[in-house]
Each structure stands twice: as structure tokens, then as C-alpha cells.
């Protein structure tokens, strides 16, 4: 059960520890460990491992951090020990068997107790944003990953967020054993330009008017003008077409009728002429009236009123006159 370098970046400190005393270094480290001076004990054991990298020393480092309560760091060192144990010869493994069994059992027991954290920065954070942490032991700031689960020791932690050209900001949070959290990391803001006020006055908002808009769009009068103009044009065209058809029946009627007596061709021509003549008689004057009314409405439209429409309502109608072949057109305001 091993973890990636991203997880290890949090749990394992890269501190430049001062050399431990060469005199009885192992005994002194054990004495500090037994006395609860875990910082001194772990520091001394790490220095011993750098000078003489033995798997047994790794196991003692893991135990030191475990007793200190820094269980995420302990888990990393247990993993390192188990990996080193796998590289030993059969004879060396036999000598380390007890430590290997204890390390495996302890590592498994710590798994559910280790807190995990996911760090998040705002979406508009610059691409040069760096989030760093200060190790619990002395040492330089260590950069940590954003947006991925990280193993973390229980307790209080302080993050430093850096953006080039801006003042650093800090984020502090505390985690308990077994806790999983998402932490929103503060990001430095751009400094105000020199000489500019720290607060800008809120722009005045226009007061809503109770008056209707001065641009009412197309008016009802204009719509009526367009509609009547279209009807008039269609009516005139229809009257002309049906009039032409009626006029075309003259020759067939003259050639196929004697007075009121007609053959089939002549009778058909007379019927067609009667129908188309009536349609033409109706359509042509209605079309003229509608077109004329539309033109009058268009050119006499008053300017729009600020207080809404004051134009009259218009109604146009056409009816058959009391005498045959006449049409009455009624236009009312």
C-alpha cells in the first residue's frame, strides 16, 4: 500500500536537519523518544538514516512520528520501510521479520485514521499561483498540489499562497483524525493602482420613469395603412383580371348566341361573363377605396404622443348597393 509523490509531498518534510551528536546517537534518540521529546528524536533518527540508510532505522522513524501523533507522516515512513524490506535478501528479511509484521499491521490500522484534504483555489486564480505549507519541523516552505486528495497529519495547518507581484496571503485550518475536507485557499488580490481611491463610488442608477417610452414602434395607424394598401392592391388586381376575363367572353357570346338563345358554348361564355363581371364590379371599387384609405392614413399619420396613442380607430367595410351592380364602401373613425 504505497502512495504517490503528491501525497508524500505533504506528509514527508524535506527539512535540513542539523547533525545529531555522534556519541551514542541511537541511544540518545531512543531516550528522547521515551521521554516524549518527539521532535528531537525524529530529527536525530532521520540524520542517522542519512548517514547510514538501514531499513531498521526507517522503521524507528515511522514509530517516532506515529507516537508523536503525526500519523500521515508515520504512514509514509512505514511505506518506505516496507518497500526497503522488499529489497533485502532472504537472510536480512528473516532478521527484520518482526519489524515487517508490526509495520504492516500498524500501517493498515492507520489507513482509516489519516485525514485527507483537497485544496481548491478560485477559478479566476492566476496560473502562476503557488500554495505552500510550512513543515511542522523547521525547514523551507514546501509546495503542495491543488485539486487532488492529500494525506495530512491531524492538527492545525497554515498555508501560504503566493502570486508574483502580489502580497502573500495565509489560510489556516484544523483537521481531526479520520476527517476528509475540501479547503478553499485564499488567493492574493491585485493591489490598487497608485493614487487611486480605495473605494469607488457606486454609479448612479437611472430612476425608472412612469411615462411610456418615447419610441412606441410601429403604430396601429401605420399597420392599418399597410393592411388597407395591401387589400386595395389585391382588390384592384383582382378586378382588372376578372374584367379582362369578362371582356374575353364577348366574341364567344356573339358567335354562339342569337338574342337570348345560345348553344352550349355561348351559354357557358354568358355564365362566365356574369360571374367574373360581378366579381370585377365588386373588387375594383373596393380595392380603390382600400388603397386610397391606406394612402390617406399613411400620409396623415400624426407624430407619436408621449402619453400613448390618441389616434382614432378605423373600420372599413364594403356592402352591395341597393341597386344591381353597385357597391358601397363604408370608412369610419
Amino acid at each position: 500500500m504505497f502512495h504517490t509523490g503528491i501525497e508524500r509531498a505533504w506528509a514527508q518534510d524535506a527539512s535540513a536537519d542539523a547533525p545529531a551528536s555522534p556519541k551514542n546517537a541511537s541511544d540518545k534518540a531512543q531516550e528522547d523518544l521515551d521521554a516524549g521529546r518527539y521532535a528531537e528524536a525524529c530529527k536525530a533518527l532521520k540524520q542517522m538514516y542519512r548517514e547510514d540508510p538501514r531499513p531498521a532505522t526507517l522503521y524507528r522513524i515511522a514509530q517516532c512520528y506515529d507516537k508523536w501523533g503525526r500519523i500521515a507522516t508515520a504512514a509514509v515512513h512505514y511505506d518506505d520501510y516496507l518497500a526497503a524490506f522488499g529489497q533485502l535478501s532472504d537472510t536480512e528479511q528473516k532478521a527484520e521479520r518482526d519489524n515487517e509484521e508490526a509495520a504492516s499491521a500498524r500501517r493498515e490500522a492507520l489507513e482509516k485514521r489519516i485525514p485527507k484534504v483537497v485544496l481548491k483555489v478560485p477559478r479566476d486564480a492566476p496560473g502562476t499561483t503557488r500554495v505552500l505549507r510550512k513543515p511542522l519541523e523547521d525547514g523551507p516552505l514546501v509546495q503542495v498540489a491543488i485539486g487532488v486528495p492529500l494525506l495530512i497529519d491531524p492538527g492545525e495547518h497554515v498555508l501560504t499562497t503566493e502570486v508574483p507581484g502580489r502580497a502573500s496571503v495565509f489560510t489556516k485550518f484544523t483537521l481531526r483524525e479520520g476527517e476528509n475536507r475540501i479547503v478553499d485557499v485564499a488567493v492574493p488580490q491585485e493591489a490598487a493602482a497608485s493614487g487611486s481611491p480605495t473605494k469607488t463610488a457606486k454609479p448612479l442608477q437611472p430612476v425608472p420613469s412612469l411615462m411610456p417610452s418615447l419610441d412606441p414602434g410601429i403604430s396601429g395607424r401605420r399597420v392599418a395603412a399597410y393592411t388597407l394598401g395591401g387589400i386595395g392592391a389585391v382588390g384592384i388586381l383582382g378586378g382588372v383580371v376578372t374584367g379582362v376575363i369578362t371582356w374575353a367572353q364577348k366574341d364567344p357570346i356573339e358567335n354562339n348566341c342569337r338574342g337570348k338563345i345560345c348553344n352550349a358554348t355561348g351559354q357557358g361564355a354568358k355564365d362566365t361573363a356574369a360571374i367574373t363581371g360581378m366579381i370585377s364590379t365588386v373588387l375594383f371599387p373596393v380595392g380603390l377605396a382600400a388603397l386610397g384609405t391606406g394612402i390617406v392614413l399613411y400620409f396623415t399619420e400624426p407624430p407619436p404622443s408621449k402619453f400613448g396613442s390618441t389616434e382614432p380607430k378605423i373600420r372599413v367595410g364594403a356592402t352591395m348597393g341597393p341597386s344591381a351592380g353597385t357597391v358601397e364602401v363604408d370608412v369610419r373613425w
Side-chain angles (χ1 to χ4, degrees), residues 31 40 92 115 118 155 226 265 271 282:
E31 180 182 334
E40 292 83 353
E92 292 171 327
V118 176
Y226 290 156
T265 301
D271 294 341
V282 173

Side-chain angles (χ1 to χ4, degrees), residues 5 35 60 66 72 160 171 175 187 204 231 235 248 273 300:
R60 293 180 66 189
D66 196 352
T160 302
T171 302
L175 287 180
V187 174
L204 295 177
I231 293 173
T300 61

Side-chain angles (χ1 to χ4, degrees), residues 254-269:
E254 291 179 350
N255 296 331
N256 294 280
C257 295
R258 296 292 181 267
K260 294 184 179 181
I261 300 173
C262 303
N263 59 21
T265 301
Q267 188 62 44

Side-chain angles (χ1 to χ4, degrees), residues 149-167:
L150 302 174
L151 297 178
I152 179 173
D153 289 320
E156 184 180 90
H157 298 269
V158 178
L159 302 175
T160 302
T161 310
E162 297 180 348
V163 175
R166 304 182 187 180

Side-chain angles (χ1 to χ4, degrees), residues 241-254 265-281:
V241 172
T242 53
V244 171
I245 295 173
T246 302
W247 183 261
Q249 307 306 312
K250 180 180 179 182
D251 288 343
I253 292 174
E254 291 179 350
T265 301
Q267 188 62 44
K270 285 184 71 174
D271 294 341
T272 300
I275 296 172
T276 56
M278 181 180 295
I279 295 174
S280 178
T281 302

